[in-house]
Amino acid sequence: MNRTTLSLIAVATALAAVTGFAAVSAPDPVDSTATAKTPARLPVERSSLLCPAPSTSELAETVYTSFTPAGTTGAGTGGAAELAPSAAPLTDTDPADDEKKTDEDKAKDDKAKEPATDGADGADAKVKPFLALKEPGKPVSGTKKGADAPALVGAATGPLAPGWTAQQTTTVTAGDSRGLLGMTCTAPGTDFWFPGASTDKSRQDYVHLTNPDDTAAVADIALFGKEGTLKSDTGEGIPVPARSSVPVLLSTLTGEAEPNVTVHVSTRTGRVGAVVNATEEKTGGDWLAASADAAPRAVLPGIPGDATSVRLVVFAPGEDDAELKVQLAGKSGTIVPSSAAEPLNVKSGMTASLDLGDVTKGEAGAVRIGPAEGGRETPVVAALRVVRGKGTDQEVAFIPATGPVTERATVADNRAKGSTLTLTAPDKSAKVKVTASAGSGGGEQVVKTYTVKGGTTLAVTPPVPAGLKGSYALTVEPESGGPVHAARALAVTQDGVPMFTVQTLPDDRGMVSVPATKEDLSVLK
């Protein structure tokens, strides 16, 4: 057999081998044309939360509560959920102060900014946790007194990640910031809108920027008043050092004093948690959380029935103006208040406000906004400023627009007395399951179901766990019907002042869609 014949045999053998491999490995022709499968719904494996420094008052007492709902299928075992102080201390200093410091003072400052190494906070840096959650279904809480409580940074993993939430509730008994200041600790992000802030002389509003990561972030803060952008030379390129929290006083960013301002926080690099701390001279203070994403329609739930003043603040971030119909969803149905008889005109890039007075008339409710008849679908962001009490015994709180609870939402730090849950079904009637968890110090969970009629708001005293000790969490889960928007109000009377705070309950996004995948060698062609 000559060399040519051997070569031909070798080539034929190689081709047969390649052809055989392709036949075995090629995708089934049926699979290649099959309809794509519905993505699986799986629990998240990691959640991050940021809590800003609660107060600068020596009279402040802050309660932190951490909780993860039980019963998430497929969440696995183990995991951790920890909140720990940010590595760098909260700073709000004038650069001129640094020039007055001695070398010893500067060395102490540098030492304070170094991360500790005696624990883990779940946020990739080693610091000792302040609050550690060990199991789903039972909250843990801790208390910090005085003005030195730092910002907290944390994360949850494994079965403690889906739906993890933390509440920060501060009581200040005297001073300009007196009141009950509550907020749900926020997830880090890159874009936030805060309608309802102010640069007025009667207000002191700080934007707290908290960086959870090991690299620095750079943020921009833009302010918009009734005539558009407020001039600012210092709102751009604000550095937020790694694992630190920076408060920025809004009135230092502009010389223009306006009672109703929309704040836009965005990041150039990195990510931050952002929230506004608002303090008024005569009505105390509270936290203003970010509005839900801009949309043509919005629901702002949780207005107490005894509210003496309600102000709606709206901003249109796009290029189009908005003509909005303003309604109140109350106990009996949805109405157009006399104070909102005319559509609210919101110019593009400008902040508009509408005083609704004591719009609830003794019944808890929610404000609904949407396009006026014949108006275009223009996305807006919105928030409410709400006041309870009269004269010198007044207290203020803020309610941002919030999305519906699509699968589940939870709020922590509910108490045996003073908690009110409001459920608003803006369109169709809805059936909702509410679970009161075990208490932080003991007790057994209780489950109750409520039906909310379409176009109404149902305000209830939530169920209390059997044998409750400490505080507990409320979890809301729609079972049937239309969308439901929820909020929780916490009220405490102190020296005749009706202190209160309202937290909305957006969906916890504890479940995510994971597309189905399969092997496909055709991508190698």
Side-chain angles (χ1 to χ4, degrees):
M1 185 178 292
N2 60 32
R3 182 175 296 178
T4 303
T5 303
L6 290 172
S7 298
L8 289 172
I9 293 173
V11 171
T13 303
L15 287 172
V18 172
T19 305
F21 176 81
V24 172
S25 303
D28 189 327
V30 175
D31 289 342
S32 65
T33 59
T35 302
K37 295 181 180 180
T38 302
R41 296 288 291 170
L42 299 177
V44 299
E45 298 179 352
R46 182 182 177 88
S47 298
S48 299
L49 291 177
L50 307 171
C51 311
S55 179
T56 57
S57 172
E58 292 294 341
L59 301 176
E61 179 174 318
T62 302
V63 177
Y64 299 90
T65 309
S66 174
F67 177 78
T68 295
T72 301
T73 304
T77 58
E82 298 174 344
L83 286 167
S86 58
L90 179 70
T91 58
D92 182 25
T93 59
D94 189 313
D97 293 337
D98 291 334
E99 299 178 2
K100 302 175 184 178
K101 292 182 178 180
T102 64
D103 291 341
E104 183 179 354
D105 291 332
K106 292 178 181 179
K108 289 180 180 179
D109 289 345
D110 292 338
K111 183 66 177 177
K113 294 179 182 179
E114 295 177 1
T117 57
D118 54 353
D121 75 339
D124 299 330
K126 301 296 183 180
V127 293
K128 184 177 180 180
F130 169 75
L131 204 60
L133 185 65
K134 300 298 184 182
E135 59 181 314
K138 182 181 179 181
V140 296
S141 63
T143 302
K144 182 71 175 177
K145 296 183 179 181
D148 60 345
L152 300 181
V153 177
T157 58
L160 295 173
W164 181 46
T165 187
Q167 169 80 13
Q168 174 179 296
T169 309
T170 303
T171 304
V172 181
T173 55
D176 290 340
S177 60
R178 68 109 173 94
L180 189 66
L181 298 83
M183 65 161 292
T184 300
C185 298
T186 61
T190 60
D191 194 80
F192 307 86
W193 289 97
F194 300 95
S198 177
T199 58
D200 193 73
K201 294 181 180 180
S202 63
R203 286 267 291 265
Q204 278 204 323
D205 287 16
Y206 286 85
V207 178
H208 287 248
L209 306 174
T210 305
N211 179 2
D213 300 319
D214 294 331
T215 56
V218 177
D220 293 333
I221 300 177
L223 308 178
F224 302 89
K226 62 180 180 180
E227 299 297 334
T229 303
L230 301 184
K231 294 181 181 179
S232 174
D233 296 326
T234 56
E236 296 184 351
I238 298 172
V240 187
R243 298 186 53 75
S244 69
S245 189
V246 175
V248 181
L249 181 61
L250 294 185
S251 60
T252 63
L253 300 181
T254 179
E256 301 180 53
E258 292 206 24
N260 304 299
V261 170
T262 298
V263 179
H264 183 215
V265 175
S266 58
T267 61
R268 298 184 183 188
T269 60
R271 57 182 188 155
V272 297
V275 66
V276 174
N277 180 272
T279 301
E280 300 187 1
E281 287 182 355
K282 298 181 180 180
T283 55
D286 206 348
W287 293 98
L288 169 60
S291 172
D293 292 341
R297 293 169 177 78
V299 177
L300 300 90
I303 308 172
D306 61 353
T308 53
S309 175
V310 177
R311 181 194 302 160
L312 171 65
V313 182
V314 186
F315 179 79
E319 297 180 357
D320 297 325
D321 299 343
E323 287 285 338
L324 299 175
K325 182 179 183 180
V326 179
Q327 299 174 293
L328 177 73
K331 180 179 180 180
S332 304
T334 299
I335 64 169
V336 176
S338 58
S339 52
E342 298 295 328
L344 178 62
N345 183 21
V346 186
K347 296 290 186 181
S348 171
M350 301 180 186
T351 298
S353 64
L354 178 63
D355 285 319
L356 299 171
D358 57 343
V359 65
T360 52
K361 304 295 183 182
E363 296 181 356
V367 166
R368 296 176 55 186
I369 58 176
E373 186 174 353
R376 66 175 64 190
E377 301 269 327
T378 303
V380 296
V381 292
L384 298 173
R385 173 187 174 273
V386 181
V387 175
R388 293 176 68 220
K390 296 180 179 180
T392 57
D393 295 332
Q394 290 185 325
E395 164 74 328
V396 68
F398 299 90
I399 303 174
T402 187
V405 182
T406 54
E407 293 186 52
R408 182 181 63 184
T410 300
V411 62
D413 194 13
N414 297 279
R415 304 168 187 185
K417 296 182 180 180
S419 296
T420 302
L421 175 67
T422 59
L423 304 169
T424 299
D427 301 310
K428 299 179 180 179
S429 297
K431 186 178 180 181
V432 179
K433 181 176 76 172
V434 177
T435 302
S437 75
S440 57
E444 298 181 2
Q445 78 168 32
V446 175
V447 178
K448 193 168 183 178
T449 301
Y450 298 94
T451 298
V452 189
K453 295 181 179 180
T456 71
T457 292
L458 176 66
V460 298
T461 299
V464 177
L468 172 66
K469 292 183 180 180
S471 62
Y472 65 102
L474 284 173
T475 298
V476 176
E477 298 173 272
E479 292 192 326
S480 61
V484 173
H485 300 252
R488 186 282 312 269
L490 187 63
V492 176
T493 300
Q494 178 78 34
D495 297 329
V497 178
M499 297 182 179
F500 77 116
T501 183
V502 180
Q503 280 72 58
T504 57
L505 278 72
D507 194 86
D508 65 20
R509 299 181 181 178
M511 304 290 288
V512 293
S513 296
V514 180
T517 61
K518 66 177 181 179
E519 183 178 319
D520 184 359
L521 294 178
S522 65
V523 299
L524 300 177
K525 293 181 180 180

